[in-house]
Amino acid sequence: MNKHGEIRVIVLGLIQDGDRIFVSEGYDPAKQLTFYRALGGGVDFGETSLAALKREFLEEIKAELTNIRYLGCIENLFIFNARKGHEIIQLYRCDFADPKFYQLDSLVFHESDNHKHKAMWIDIARFQSGELRLVPKEFFNYL
């Protein structure tokens, strides 16, 4: 997790297919709350956010992206696991190059050795109704 006072630059890929979006599932142990977010990750020093986006999708789910378009920047202040967080999110809209990803219900991937995550297609209406929680909430501006 972030050191105190650290601002993290991350990149997220918004992949939409009709009325559904591709998201990963997260869990906040302090709040005992499940949430969902677009896939992506940290931008390394000396790396562009576009290069980081492609790298993260390849590393995490072995997926190549196509039709990549920059959407904008979101500044995200949040609390996760009882700690303050601050992210600058570079947001891109993109598509999977391989159509097989559109046929999947879900997949499990490893972000690191001990962190397993699940990614899945979820109907946008389930987020809009408040049934499921999509973060950050500014994300809705791009759907």
Side-chain angles (χ1 to χ4, degrees):
M1 196 58 204
N2 293 350
K3 295 187 286 284
H4 181 71
E6 181 181 308
I7 299 173
R8 193 161 173 245
V9 178
I10 68 167
V11 62
L12 297 178
L14 170 57
I15 301 181
Q16 190 170 344
D17 179 39
D19 295 334
R20 59 187 194 149
I21 56 173
F22 196 73
V23 291
S24 67
E25 186 177 79
Y27 182 73
D28 186 328
K31 294 177 192 165
Q32 298 187 348
L33 187 73
T34 298
F35 61 90
Y36 298 86
R37 182 176 96 168
L39 272 72
V43 178
D44 293 335
F45 184 82
E47 179 182 47
T48 65
S49 60
L50 177 60
L53 178 72
K54 293 176 179 178
R55 175 183 54 75
E56 286 287 340
F57 271 80
L58 275 172
E59 283 177 3
E60 291 181 352
I61 62 169
K62 311 285 184 269
E64 289 192 27
L65 299 173
T66 186
N67 301 325
I68 303 170
R69 301 170 301 291
Y70 182 70
L71 290 177
C73 183
I74 298 172
E75 189 164 7
N76 187 27
L77 300 170
F78 60 96
I79 295 175
F80 175 78
N81 204 12
R83 288 186 170 166
K84 287 183 179 177
H86 189 170
E87 296 172 331
I88 303 295
I89 302 169
Q90 296 286 31
L91 182 61
Y92 289 84
R93 182 178 292 277
C94 46
D95 296 318
F96 287 119
D98 188 336
K100 78 176 181 190
F101 286 98
Y102 294 98
Q103 312 306 319
L104 296 172
D105 286 329
S106 66
L107 58 91
V108 173
F109 65 94
H110 296 268
E111 202 168 32
S112 58
D113 290 341
N114 54 357
H115 280 94
K116 258 197 327 195
H117 289 283
K118 188 174 175 183
M120 68 213 71
W121 289 102
I122 293 185
D123 197 305
I124 294 165
R126 296 181 72 190
F127 296 119
Q128 290 166 331
S129 72
E131 177 197 343
L132 299 177
R133 184 182 160 126
L134 181 66
V135 297
K137 62 181 183 297
E138 291 83 3
F139 212 75
F140 285 106
N141 301 336
Y142 298 95
L143 295 176

